[in-house]
Amino acid sequence: MNEKILSHVIAEFMPQMIRGVQLEFFARHPVTQTQFFMLLAIRSYGECKMNVLASNMKISMPTATGVINRLVRSGLVERVAKANDRRQVLVRMTNRGEKLIDAFKAVMRARWVKVLKGIGPRDQQNFYEIIIKLQQHLDLASR
């Protein structure tokens, strides 16, 4: 098997995997997918400037501001003045935002438990080892 065939199979599998998670998670939590992706970006960057979020998410500043305004009203993120330059405003996750992402991860884990029951312990171990290798490769590539 080559990378092209495997990548095709993975590309077909992942939307099915995610669809179940999305249906369950977004039905129970008052956040849109756009807002959730913004939360993930903020979590990834830590405290960050609005223009960085907008640029990296490929959205306009007015759109980013609107999404952030809704997240602030929901108590999921907060705006804070930069310590050494109070004119600059940063955005960061609140505890409530962290808990929302943790809830998403819990739904994702539950979905994986259901899927992994379909393969035996040896295949689960092999899958685990492959996932660890892929994660290490992604970590090195992101540096």
Side-chain angles (χ1 to χ4, degrees), residues 38-46 93 98 101-102 105:
M38 183 70 79
L39 284 173
L40 290 176
I42 295 166
R43 185 181 215 192
S44 170
Y45 305 134
M93 188 87 64
E98 291 285 349
I101 290 177
D102 290 344
K105 286 182 175 183

Side-chain angles (χ1 to χ4, degrees), residues 3-120:
E3 293 89 1
K4 194 170 187 175
I5 293 170
L6 183 56
S7 66
H8 177 76
V9 171
I10 293 168
E12 294 296 319
F13 172 77
M14 288 307 295
Q16 292 176 329
M17 189 66 185
I18 292 169
R19 194 172 310 115
V21 173
Q22 287 177 320
L23 292 173
E24 185 175 340
F25 179 79
F26 290 109
R28 288 196 261 151
H29 296 90
V31 64
T32 66
Q33 289 182 27
T34 302
Q35 292 168 346
F36 186 74
F37 284 123
M38 183 70 79
L39 284 173
L40 290 176
I42 295 166
R43 185 181 215 192
S44 170
Y45 305 134
E47 285 187 351
C48 56
K49 294 190 265 182
M50 288 288 297
N51 64 333
V52 171
L53 285 172
S55 173
N56 289 343
M57 292 189 68
K58 309 293 188 242
I59 58 176
S60 68
M61 274 297 290
T63 299
T65 299
V67 173
I68 291 297
N69 286 344
R70 288 185 287 284
L71 291 171
V72 168
R73 281 194 299 273
S74 298
L76 300 170
V77 300
E78 60 188 358
R79 288 184 174 97
V80 292
K82 194 170 179 181
N84 58 350
D85 184 356
R86 301 201 52 82
R87 294 172 296 169
Q88 280 193 4
V89 176
L90 303 174
V91 179
R92 71 176 173 205
M93 188 87 64
T94 63
N95 286 338
R96 186 172 178 187
E98 291 285 349
K99 287 179 184 176
L100 185 74
I101 290 177
D102 290 344
F104 180 82
K105 286 182 175 183
V107 171
M108 180 65 84
R109 283 191 300 271
R111 176 86 168 139
W112 272 108
V113 165
K114 290 176 188 174
V115 169
L116 291 172
K117 284 184 180 181
I119 63 175

